């Protein structure tokens, strides 16, 4: 190959074209995260002077009306209800080629970041996340909304306050027409319920499994189904994971039994609803000492 065919690699970072610019009245100040969907920025709502998290999607990923509608429907869903354990939506729209969602800015970190930094969580910390996430799911499910992607990266831990559920981008609104093509499996494989992984229709109990898988990861340092069929994105093993009481120490027996029920492979064996799971949540474990 002619050396001239190989593009030069520069050590100078490419400047973000959106930094310092405004989208829909939100001035972008810094980049928080990026991924295949696009980027999340810290921004300021100019008219009110408040911080916001601005989720901006790469225009190339929204190349059909259905994809554009799916992106904006997250805002439509969140605008229907407010809850202290669900990240609040401020605005959504399009500015030029960019589609954006402006959301409540949460000072803190994600549960995924916390797990990565301090594996594992104490049982009391995990209990607090469980209670807050279930309160959020009770509210969402009452509105006919199935989240479909509960995972550590979608639970935020404020520096002052309870956990908040975010990212309803894959949510299923039972009161609206589906925007998902038949046969398409949505979710994150390591936390996906067995029925979702095998193409079944998710329901409220599917969110309970995903929350259970998230809590299992938080307590043990590994998700319950970490061995995946890479081609299909589904678990290789059909065997249930070791009970949390065997996978880690210090989890009270009643909390461990509650979590094992959340992770039942058969959805009929799980709690019937988030409301029932919240009511059955045992007393908080004692605080870690020493």
């Amino acid at each position: 190959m002619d050396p001239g065919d190989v593009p030069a690699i520069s050590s100078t970072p490419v400047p973000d074209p959106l930094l310092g610019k405004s989208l829909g009245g939100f001035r972008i100040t810094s980049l928080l995260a990026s991924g295949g969907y696009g980027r999340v920025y810290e921004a300021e709502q100019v008219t009110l002077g408040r911080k916001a998290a601005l989720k901006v999607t790469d225009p190339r990923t929204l190349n059909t009306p259905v994809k554009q509608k799916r992106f904006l429907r997250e805002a439509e869903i969140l605008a229907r209800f407010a809850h202290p354990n669900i990240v609040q939506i401020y605005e959504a729209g399009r500015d030029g080629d960019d589609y954006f969602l402006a959301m409540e800015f949460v000072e803190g970190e994600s549960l995924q970041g916390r797990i990565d930094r301090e594996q594992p969580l104490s049982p009391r910390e995990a209990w607090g996340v469980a209670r807050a996430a279930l309160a959020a799911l009770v509210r969402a499910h009452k509105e006919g909304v199935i989240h479909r992607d509960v995972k550590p990266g979608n639970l935020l831990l404020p520096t002052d306050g309870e956990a908040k559920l975010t990212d309803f981008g894959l949510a299923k609104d039972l009161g609206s027409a589906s925007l998902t093509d038949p046969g398409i499996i949505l979710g994150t494989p390591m936390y996906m319920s067995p029925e979702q992984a095998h193409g079944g229709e998710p329901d409220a109990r599917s969110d309970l499994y995903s929350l259970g898988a998230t809590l299992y990861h938080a307590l043990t340092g590994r998700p319950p189904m970490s061995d995946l069929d890479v081609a299909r994105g589904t678990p290789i093993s059909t065997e249930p994971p070791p009970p949390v009481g065997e996978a880690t120490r210090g989890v009270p027996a009643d909390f461990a039994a509650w979590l094992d029920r959340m992770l039942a492979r058969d959805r009929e064996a799980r709690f019937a609803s988030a409301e029932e799971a919240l009511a059955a949540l045992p007393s908080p474990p004692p605080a870690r000492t020493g």
Side-chain angles (χ1 to χ4, degrees):
M1 176 183 292
D2 188 322
D5 294 335
V6 181
I9 299 176
S10 172
S11 59
T12 304
V14 177
D16 191 307
L18 292 181
L19 288 180
K21 295 187 176 181
S22 294
L23 292 181
F26 293 84
R27 184 174 61 84
I28 294 171
T29 56
S30 64
L31 177 65
L32 298 175
S34 61
Y37 58 86
R39 300 183 178 189
V40 177
Y41 297 92
E42 180 179 333
E44 179 187 16
Q45 188 173 16
V46 177
T47 55
L48 298 179
R50 65 177 172 181
K51 281 187 179 181
L54 203 67
K55 181 177 177 181
V56 182
T57 293
D58 187 326
R60 293 171 296 182
T61 68
L62 298 184
N63 52 12
T64 69
V66 169
K67 290 179 180 179
Q68 294 161 8
K69 176 65 175 176
R70 185 183 296 138
F71 180 80
L72 295 175
R73 193 165 74 175
E74 179 177 358
E76 295 172 3
I77 288 172
L78 291 177
R80 296 212 312 259
F81 56 90
H83 191 277
N85 297 115
I86 297 175
V87 170
Q88 182 182 355
I89 191 78
Y90 292 157
E91 192 174 334
R94 179 179 182 179
D95 191 321
D97 291 332
D98 296 306
Y99 285 82
F100 69 90
L101 298 179
M103 297 170 286
E104 171 188 3
F105 185 88
V106 178
E107 296 278 3
E109 63 182 336
S110 68
L111 176 58
Q112 183 66 60
R114 182 68 179 274
I115 291 171
D116 292 342
R117 184 169 57 81
E118 296 182 8
Q119 299 188 39
L121 267 64
S122 71
R124 189 178 184 91
E125 290 171 322
W127 182 93
V129 171
R131 196 205 65 78
L134 282 171
L137 289 175
V138 167
R139 185 72 178 91
H141 293 169
K142 282 184 177 179
E143 291 291 329
V145 174
I146 309 301
H147 190 281
R148 292 201 293 192
D149 198 25
V150 178
K151 61 182 179 180
N154 286 340
L155 282 164
L156 303 183
L157 306 180
T159 52
D160 182 18
E162 297 182 336
K164 291 176 178 281
L165 182 61
T166 189
D167 200 342
F168 281 70
L170 298 184
K172 180 178 179 62
D173 184 354
L174 300 180
S176 300
S178 175
L179 294 178
T180 303
D181 295 330
I184 298 298
I185 298 174
L186 297 178
T188 302
M190 288 188 294
Y191 309 100
M192 191 183 294
S193 67
E195 57 270 17
Q196 283 175 273
H198 293 96
E201 191 68 22
D203 61 14
R205 295 167 295 178
S206 307
D207 279 348
L208 297 186
Y209 180 93
S210 296
L211 176 57
T214 294
L215 296 170
Y216 188 99
H217 189 178
L219 285 163
T220 68
R222 63 179 293 273
M225 289 292 177
S226 57
D227 296 325
L228 300 175
D229 179 334
V230 177
R232 297 180 59 203
T234 56
I236 293 173
S237 174
T238 58
E239 295 299 316
V244 70
E246 297 178 9
T248 190
R249 297 179 181 178
V251 180
D254 54 355
F255 188 31
W258 177 91
L259 184 54
D260 290 341
R261 185 171 175 186
M262 293 278 283
L263 285 168
R265 303 290 291 164
D266 180 358
R267 75 173 101 188
E268 297 295 335
R270 296 174 214 149
F271 297 103
S273 65
E275 195 168 16
E276 181 181 319
L278 181 58
L281 187 66
S283 300
R288 179 182 285 168
T289 60

